[in-house]
């Protein structure tokens, strides 16, 4: 029984189904990565797990609880953090205000959490009075991740966190994600940069046309000749 | 029920409503309402061309209607003897100054170094304005001094007023071209604010440039395109007609005169409608709707969106201008002080939305229905207030409620607009979706 | 030297002080418009009439207070009545939102539909205001009319030109500074204010962060009601109250909001002053001013007025057009609408 599981999920945005019975699961302290070709439904699977899409069939369970009927907002309260692919920071708010907004649903003192985020991303502490819109792409992604961490989530979901950043920044981000997983948070992410992502993944899902094609540990998938040939470019 | 049946039915109901006034009150009143309904319908048609075809939000209808009105005045009123002599030379120089300024501004725009274009262009326009004022101020003073009690302005050309309708349309089109050039490249809300501004400016000019418009002293006694009621009363055939219908000659003359107006207005309405419908069905109309529904896609396909918008904005404003000229003709006077944006801009919007934006038949029906309600709501409001307060002893509260009765119709119009937007957003006769 | 001082006093008396007071009123109005635009994303055509409604209630309550013999001494009684007008305006706006705007918000209708709805609301507010107070001019200023009288100033300085400062002008400026500081403090420092800015910045992410949109919208309307009523009352004290004039204020207010950068609170303030100062500067007749500065033989014959006061709306419009051509996003880089 996995900590977070989206089981046999089927559904779409009205019209044809995009997901056809795919299953995604992740354990606490682990990193699960969804890869696959364009249009395979990677982001859709992620959104389905987070409740931004109504499922026709299948269910989502968090820590044994069925959360299929919850709205995204309620899932945030239940312990899930989500970092969208685009527009994932408040550009006109300062870095610190972004983090504060991340903690909006918390009524307790969140200064400790903020200190943890600053420890994780020291550059943010330096720039905390700057509007997030003035930061570089990689720094913005750090703000976005930091914002999602402010609720102390048990699961952190990242939709293509490295889209549009340089390779150096990408490596740095993946390092941070490993650090986050090490604190016991379950991490589920969708990645275009499949090879690098599978490198850090405990578990990898290769989706094709909305269903699971291969599921294994990241290392095993990287070693699998068929996966390499079809999805990793040789 | 098919859409056509529905439309026919709604028009029949509208006709019945007007006939009911004729039967219950008087035919002169019914015809008076009909005439204004026709004018409102033309105006609504003009706005529908802009909004329904292209999605342009014009909040300056009042200004374009007033420009149409002054067009009718300047064409039809007799010239004021001596006025041109008094200020003509200076006026000509002022006009020259305007032309010179425009030329200089264009030259600056084309030739000046890039970084200096905007400030230099602005400076040219400002300087040109002051040069124009040097000539215009004495000219206006001299013209206004000519027989100020009955004239005090340039007067018109003394041509038939029907020509004035066309000129009114041209005036409105010209103003629309200028505003459109400035603001149409920008997004929708700016056009709204810009048109709101331009209509206030037009009204300010019409109220204050007395040498041209007599301003708030009003121009009265405009020539009529149809025989005068008072002349008709003397005509033997009117007496004959009156006898046949068992009424007096005064009523008969009024009915005939108003019918004549109604025929003229209806002719204009039908011509505009015919042209508008033809344009809508032509490739041009298809392109307009394509632009309205997906501006980006149309732009990507190489359509000159701003250019098309300018075209439709000018055409629609011209129609509004013609309607404005018709209105002044019907009133027989031009009174700049009476233009009010609620009545001349926003009421027209209610007509278009209620009728069905994008559908010309809908816009016309909206024009008829809303004008009818607007006129009928005032006496109805007074009646209701009288009833409501009949049990009260006379005092300040009762007085205030009675005085407030006319405002009920503002409330009614707002309510109708909100209800239609909410429950029938495509209006009484929705736009047809053609393949 | 004395001529120069006289000229400056003349200019302060007829240009500077009135323009600053008017600018403060426009700024408060534009701040309301810009908040609605930032949070609800439409241009509210009913804003002028919201101001008229709030002010009408303030006037009615002022009259009642005056009838009871309650006053503030040298200060206008209207200040005492202000909270009542604000409450009434809050109620009106919240009811309107519940019955009109909420529906379109829930369906995510395009902004132009909301604008159209605001036209309907404008008609209704118009009717309500006229119903409760009529269409005429109402004066409700009381207390001491002048904070500084012409005679006192002349006696004090010995200059020919007098300087008068009306109580209403001082109050306008003081109240504006207090209210604007409070609004900015709220937006920048409080959790709710930050949530409002966050919602305005990125609606989806705000929802994801657990910010309650209904609450943000409600707070916005409350702020708008406060700003509109205060702006309207100050304008009424300074000039006079007539429902139609308030409707017409829509143009300079919108111009101010756009010139400053729509959706930008700081821009609304700057825009308000830009519009007001240009309006007064352009429509002032400089004859007297120049007479002090140039030799007698050069004294101008005409009024030396750039534009008649009847054309003051043209000024807002011209400034608006210039700014749109030179810098389409406005002074403070608002959204492009």
């Amino acid at each position: 029984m996995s900590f977070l599981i989206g089981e046999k999920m089927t559904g779409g945005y009205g019209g044809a189904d995009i997901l056809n019975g795919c299953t995604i699961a992740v354990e606490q302290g682990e990193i699960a990565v969804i890869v696959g070709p364009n249009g395979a439904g990677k982001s859709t699977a992620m959104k389905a797990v987070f409740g931004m899409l109504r499922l026709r069939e299948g269910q989502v369970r968090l820590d044994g609880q069925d959360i299929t009927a919850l709205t995204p907002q309620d899932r945030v309260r239940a312990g899930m953090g989500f970092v969208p692919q685009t527009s994932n920071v408040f550009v006109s708010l300062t870095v610190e205000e972004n983090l504060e907004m991340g903690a909006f649903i918390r009524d307790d003192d969140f200064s400790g959490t903020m200190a943890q985020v600053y420890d994780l991303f020291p550059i943010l502490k330096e720039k905390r009075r700057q509007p997030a819109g003035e930061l570089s792409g990689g720094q913005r992604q750090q703000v976005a991740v930091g914002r999602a961490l402010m609720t102390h989530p048990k699961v952190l979901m990242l939709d293509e966190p490295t889209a549009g950043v340089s390779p150096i920044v990408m490596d740095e981000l993946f390092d941070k994600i490993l650090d986050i997983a090490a604190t016991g948070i379950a991490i589920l992410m969708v990645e275009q940069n499949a090879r690098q992502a599978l490198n850090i993944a405990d578990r990898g899902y290769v989706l094709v046309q909305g269903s699971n094609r291969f599921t294994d540990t990241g290392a095993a998938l990287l070693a699998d000749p068929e996966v390499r040939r079809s999805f990793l470019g040789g | 029920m098919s859409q056509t049946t529905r439309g026919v039915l709604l028009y029949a109901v509208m006709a019945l409503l007007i006939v009911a006034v004729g039967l219950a009150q008087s035919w002169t009143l019914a015809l008076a309402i009909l005439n204004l309904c026709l004018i409102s319908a033309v105006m609504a048609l003009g706005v529908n061309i802009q909004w329904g075809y292209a999605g342009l939000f014009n909040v300056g209808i009042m200004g374009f209607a007033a420009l149409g009105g002054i067009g009718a005045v300047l064409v039809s009123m007799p010239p004021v003897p001596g006025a041109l002599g008094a200020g003509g030379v200076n006026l000509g120089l002022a006009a020259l100054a305007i032309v010179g300024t425009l030329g200089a501004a264009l030259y600056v725009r084309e030739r000046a170094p890039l970084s200096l274009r905007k400030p230099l262009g602005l400076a040219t326009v400002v300087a040109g304005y002051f040069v124009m004022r040097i000539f215009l101020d004495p000219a206006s003073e001299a013209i206004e001094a000519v027989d100020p009690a009955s004239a005090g302005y340039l007067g018109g050309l003394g041509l038939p007023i029907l020509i004035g309708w066309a000129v009114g349309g041209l005036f409105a089109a010209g103003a629309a071209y200028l505003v459109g050039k400035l603001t149409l490249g920008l997004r929708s809300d700016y056009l709204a604010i810009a048109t709101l501004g331009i209509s206030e400016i037009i009204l300010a000019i019409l109220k204050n440039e007395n040498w041209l418009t007599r301003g708030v002293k009003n121009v009265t006694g405009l020539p009529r395109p149809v025989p005068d009621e008072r002349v008709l009363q003397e005509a033997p055939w009117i007496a004959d007609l009156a006898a046949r219908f068992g009424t007096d000659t005064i009523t008969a003359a009024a009915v005939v005169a108003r019918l004549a107006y109604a025929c003229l207005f209806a002719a204009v309405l039908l011509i505009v409608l015919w042209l508008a419908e033809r344009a809508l069905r032509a490739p041009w109309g298809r392109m307009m709707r394509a632009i309205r529904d997906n501006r980006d896609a149309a732009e990507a396909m190489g359509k000159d969106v701003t250019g098309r918008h300018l075209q439709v904005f000018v055409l629609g404003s011209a129609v509004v201008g013609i309607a404005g000229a018709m209105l002044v003709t019907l009133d027989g006077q031009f009174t700049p002080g009476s233009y009010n944006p609620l009545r001349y801009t926003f009421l027209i919007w209610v007509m278009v939305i209620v009728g069905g934006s994008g559908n010309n038949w809908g816009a016309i029906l909206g024009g008829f229905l809303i004008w009818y309600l607007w006129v009928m709501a005032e006496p109805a409001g007074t009646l209701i207030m009288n009833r409501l307060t009949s049990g009260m002893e006379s005092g300040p509260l009762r007085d205030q409620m009675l005085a407030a009765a006319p405002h009920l119709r503002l409330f009614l119009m707002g309510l109708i607009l909100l209800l239609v937007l909410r429950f029938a957003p495509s209006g009484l006769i929705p736009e047809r979706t053609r393949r | 030297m004395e001529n120069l001082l006289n000229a400056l006093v003349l200019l302060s008396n007829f240009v500077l002080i009135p323009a600053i007071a008017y600018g403060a009123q426009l700024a408060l109005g534009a701040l309301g418009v810009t908040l609605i635009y930032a949070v609800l994303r439409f241009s509210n055509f009913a804003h002028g009439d919201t101001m008229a409604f709030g002010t009408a209630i303030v006037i009615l309550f002022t009259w009642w207070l005056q009838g009871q013999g309650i006053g503030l001494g040298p200060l206008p009684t209207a200040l005492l009545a202000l909270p009542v007008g604000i409450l009434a305006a809050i109620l009106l706006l919240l009811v309107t939102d519940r019955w009109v705007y909420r529906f379109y918000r829930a369906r995510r209708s395009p902004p132009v539909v909301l604008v159209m709805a605001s036209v309907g609301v404008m008609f209704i507010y118009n009717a309500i205001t006229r119903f409760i107070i009529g269409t005429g001019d109402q004066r409700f200023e009381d207390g001491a009319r002048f904070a500084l009288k012409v005679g006192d100033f002349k006696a004090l300085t010995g200059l020919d030109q007098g300087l008068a400062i009306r109580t209403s002008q001082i109050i306008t400026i003081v109240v504006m500074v207090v209210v604007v500081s409070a609004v900015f403090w709220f937006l920048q420092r409080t959790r709710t204010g930050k949530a409002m800015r966050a919602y305005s910045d990125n609606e989806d992410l705000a929802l994801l962060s657990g910010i309650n949109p209904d609450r943000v919208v409600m707070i916005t309307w409350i702020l708008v009601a406060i700003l509109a009523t205060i702006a309207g009352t100050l304008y009424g004290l300074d000039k006079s109250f007539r429902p139609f004039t308030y409707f017409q204020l829509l143009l300079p207010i919108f111009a101010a909001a756009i010139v400053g950068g729509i959706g930008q609170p700081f821009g609304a303030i700057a825009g308000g002053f830009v519009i007001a100062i240009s309006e007064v500067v352009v429509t002032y007749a400089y004859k007297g001013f120049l007479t002090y500065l140039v030799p007698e033989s050069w004294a101008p014959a005409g009024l030396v007025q750039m534009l008649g006061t009847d054309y003051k709306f043209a000024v807002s419009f011209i400034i608006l057009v210039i700014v749109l051509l030179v810098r389409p996003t406005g002074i403070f880089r608002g959204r492009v609408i």
Side-chain angles (χ1 to χ4, degrees), chain B residues 105-386:
Chain B
L106 282 179
Y107 180 82
V108 166
R109 212 177 91 167
E110 299 295 323
R111 295 294 161 83
L114 207 55
S115 57
L116 286 178
R117 269 181 203 172
K118 277 170 178 169
L120 220 55
L122 208 64
T124 315
V125 172
V126 171
Y129 170 76
F130 283 111
V131 174
M132 181 201 76
R133 281 279 301 271
I134 293 177
F135 301 114
L136 186 63
D137 286 355
S140 87
E141 209 167 302
I143 294 170
E144 281 164 30
V146 177
D147 190 8
S150 64
Y153 78 125
L154 270 182
L157 300 173
L159 295 172
I161 198 162
L162 287 183
I163 297 178
W165 293 7
V167 172
L170 283 178
F171 278 16
Y177 180 80
L178 285 178
V179 190
K181 261 288 182 210
L182 283 175
T183 51
L184 273 176
L186 306 158
R187 292 279 168 165
S188 62
D189 290 36
Y190 283 152
L191 180 70
I193 307 304
T195 47
L196 188 71
I198 200 76
S199 77
E200 289 294 342
I201 292 175
I202 291 173
L203 255 293
I205 293 175
L206 295 183
K207 276 183 202 162
N208 295 300
E209 296 304 315
N210 291 5
W211 61 274
L212 185 67
T213 66
R214 279 199 101 215
V216 285
K217 291 190 287 178
N218 302 338
V219 179
T220 51
L222 256 65
R224 293 153 190 270
V226 300
D228 193 333
E229 288 176 31
R230 275 160 299 176
V231 178
L232 277 178
Q233 285 167 24
E234 312 294 323
W237 63 276
I238 287 289
D240 200 38
L241 208 67
R244 191 174 298 172
F245 284 95
T247 175
D248 53 305
T249 50
I250 297 178
T251 314
V255 167
V256 169
R258 284 173 190 193
L259 264 178
Y261 271 120
C263 291
L264 270 180
F265 295 156
V268 173
L269 178 62
L270 289 175
I271 292 171
V272 174
L273 173 66
W274 183 72
L275 288 172
E277 282 287 293
R278 259 186 71 104
L280 195 62
R281 294 215 168 88
W284 183 84
R286 269 202 300 280
M287 178 179 60
M288 288 318 304
R289 275 173 290 142
I291 291 176
R292 179 195 64 189
D293 293 341
N294 194 337
R295 184 193 166 112
D296 295 338
E299 212 153 28
M301 280 161 60
K303 303 292 180 203
D304 174 12
V305 172
T306 310
R308 297 305 105 179
H309 276 176
L310 185 62
Q311 217 171 35
V312 90
F313 187 62
V314 168
L315 285 176
S317 299
V319 173
V320 171
I322 293 173
M326 284 157 56
L327 192 65
V328 167
T329 310
L330 180 67
D331 290 345
Q333 56 178 356
F334 179 69
T335 51
S338 68
Y339 286 87
N340 171 335
L342 279 178
R343 151 76 180 87
Y344 284 91
T345 295
F346 294 105
L347 192 66
I348 312 298
W349 270 105
V350 180
M351 293 172 183
V352 174
I353 299 293
V354 168
S357 39
N359 187 319
N360 292 323
W361 294 97
I364 294 175
L365 180 70
F368 269 76
L369 182 66
I370 294 301
W371 180 258
Y372 184 88
L373 290 175
W374 178 255
V375 178
M376 299 310 275
E378 190 165 351
T382 312
L383 203 71
I384 292 171
M385 278 300 164
N386 263 322

Side-chain angles (χ1 to χ4, degrees), chain A:
Chain A
M1 187 68 175
S2 298
F3 182 70
L4 170 72
I5 182 162
E7 204 173 24
K8 300 200 178 81
M9 298 184 295
T10 300
Y13 305 97
D17 286 343
I18 298 172
L19 300 178
N20 297 301
C22 85
T23 296
I24 306 284
V26 59
E27 299 298 337
Q28 281 185 298
E30 279 192 4
I31 299 175
V33 175
I34 309 175
V35 298
N38 282 332
K42 304 186 294 286
S43 286
T44 311
M46 173 89 98
K47 283 177 180 158
V49 173
F50 192 60
M52 292 163 91
L53 166 81
R54 273 269 284 279
L55 288 180
R56 276 200 311 112
E57 280 166 41
Q59 55 172 235
V60 183
R61 283 194 307 274
L62 177 69
D63 203 4
Q65 298 269 320
D66 184 352
I67 58 166
T68 317
L70 292 190
T71 60
Q73 286 79 1
D74 287 335
R75 290 181 207 218
V76 172
R77 287 197 167 77
M80 297 170 76
F82 182 70
V83 181
Q85 184 183 347
T86 52
S87 329
N88 50 18
V89 295
F90 299 110
V91 286
S92 64
L93 269 59
T94 64
V95 170
E96 188 154 296
E97 285 170 341
N98 265 281
L99 298 182
E100 274 178 55
M101 288 301 110
F104 191 80
I105 54 171
R106 290 179 57 176
D107 291 322
D108 53 339
D109 178 23
F110 52 76
S111 51
T113 317
M114 196 176 281
Q116 283 171 6
V117 170
Y118 284 147
D119 282 346
L120 188 64
F121 303 117
I123 186 76
L124 296 189
K125 186 165 190 179
E126 221 172 90
K127 308 222 163 192
R128 65 181 193 277
R129 303 225 179 279
Q130 266 190 42
E134 291 175 5
L135 303 185
S136 71
Q139 290 165 353
R140 273 200 214 199
Q141 290 297 20
Q142 297 185 9
V143 176
V145 173
R147 187 202 64 80
L149 287 175
M150 287 302 293
T151 49
H152 258 318
K154 289 176 255 176
V155 181
L156 181 65
M157 305 175 60
L158 306 152
D159 192 354
E160 303 208 10
T162 65
V165 302
S166 71
I168 299 170
V169 175
M170 181 174 75
D171 289 344
E172 204 181 329
L173 262 173
F174 280 153
D175 282 347
K176 300 292 184 191
I177 289 169
L178 280 169
D179 290 348
I180 297 168
T183 65
I185 294 178
I187 290 184
L188 177 62
M189 65 177 181
V190 168
E191 257 302 333
Q192 283 284 358
N193 301 306
R195 193 182 287 272
Q196 293 85 340
L198 288 175
N199 254 325
I200 64 163
D202 296 294
R203 185 187 292 263
Y205 295 90
V206 180
L207 290 196
V208 175
Q209 294 190 335
S211 40
N212 301 73
R213 175 67 64 86
F214 301 98
T215 306
D216 211 327
T217 63
L221 285 175
L222 279 173
D224 184 327
E226 203 186 333
V227 173
R228 290 175 68 111
R229 197 174 53 246
S230 308
F231 304 106
L232 303 176

Side-chain angles (χ1 to χ4, degrees), chain C:
Chain C
M1 184 60 207
E2 199 180 312
N3 273 344
L4 181 67
L5 279 179
N6 273 319
L8 288 179
V9 169
L10 187 69
L11 211 57
S12 318
N13 201 18
F14 291 103
V15 177
L16 201 62
I17 296 172
I20 290 176
Y22 180 42
Q25 293 145 13
L26 283 189
L28 288 174
L31 190 54
V33 162
T34 235
L35 282 180
I36 298 176
Y37 192 87
V39 174
L40 294 131
R41 299 188 168 78
F42 73 98
S43 309
N44 182 14
F45 272 76
H47 195 74
D49 291 298
T50 309
M51 284 167 58
F53 172 81
T55 312
I57 300 288
V58 168
I59 294 174
L60 290 179
F61 196 64
T62 304
W63 286 343
W64 183 81
L65 286 174
Q66 286 167 345
Q68 302 291 309
I70 304 170
L72 282 177
L75 297 177
T77 314
L79 289 182
L80 215 53
L82 208 46
V84 179
I86 288 173
L87 276 179
I90 289 174
L91 202 67
L92 182 74
L93 288 183
L94 290 182
V95 167
T96 308
D97 185 70
R98 175 73 185 72
W99 285 351
V100 181
Y101 300 124
R102 201 172 78 155
F103 173 78
Y104 302 103
R105 202 163 51 243
R107 303 180 56 168
R108 297 206 170 206
S109 300
V112 74
V113 175
L114 283 151
V115 174
M116 215 59 94
S118 82
V119 169
V121 170
M122 178 190 84
F123 267 105
I124 290 180
Y125 285 7
N126 240 300
I128 295 176
T129 306
R130 280 154 212 235
F131 194 82
I132 56 179
I133 203 164
T135 54
D137 250 307
Q138 313 288 352
R139 295 206 58 97
F140 57 105
E141 190 188 0
D142 57 2
R145 190 160 160 70
F146 288 101
L148 177 64
K149 289 195 176 112
V150 173
D152 296 347
F153 180 84
K154 282 184 183 167
L156 202 68
T157 58
L159 290 172
D160 289 346
Q161 274 301 324
L163 182 71
I165 300 178
R166 275 185 285 134
T167 320
S168 63
Q169 290 168 329
I170 303 252
I171 289 176
T172 295
I173 293 161
V174 170
V175 170
M176 182 264 180
V177 169
V178 170
V179 169
V180 167
S181 320
V183 168
F184 279 100
W185 174 82
F186 173 78
L187 287 175
Q188 299 293 335
R189 292 277 176 264
T190 65
R191 205 167 94 105
T192 315
K194 286 176 191 172
M196 235 173 97
R197 280 164 54 219
Y199 181 84
S200 158
D201 182 310
N202 188 334
E203 195 178 331
D204 292 325
L205 196 60
L207 292 178
L208 217 58
S209 308
I211 292 169
N212 179 355
D214 291 332
R215 203 177 125 81
V216 167
V217 167
M218 187 179 87
I219 303 279
T220 307
W221 283 122
I222 291 175
L223 279 181
V224 168
I226 295 172
L227 289 166
T229 309
I230 292 177
T233 305
L234 293 176
Y235 185 88
L237 281 175
D238 194 23
K239 306 200 163 80
S240 81
F241 174 83
R242 202 169 142 246
F244 186 64
T245 316
Y246 279 55
F247 168 78
Q248 284 187 313
L249 276 179
L250 208 53
L251 181 65
I253 284 177
F254 267 125
I258 294 177
V259 164
I262 188 119
Q264 291 285 9
F266 270 119
I269 310 293
F273 283 102
V274 167
I275 294 286
I277 291 172
S278 340
E279 206 170 272
V280 179
V281 163
V282 170
T283 55
Y284 178 66
Y286 288 90
K287 181 180 181 174
F289 175 71
L290 289 177
T291 311
Y292 278 116
L293 290 187
V294 297
E296 217 162 298
S297 52
W298 291 11
L303 288 171
V304 202
Q305 189 179 20
M306 282 180 253
L307 212 56
T309 35
D310 301 303
Y311 290 115
K312 60 178 186 201
F313 286 120
V315 180
S316 324
F317 181 75
I318 291 164
I319 302 287
L320 179 66
V321 167
I322 292 173
V323 168
L324 286 186
L325 290 179
V326 177
R327 195 182 163 95
T329 48
I331 303 170
F332 277 84
R333 240 180 233 305
R335 294 153 202 271
V336 178
I337 44 177

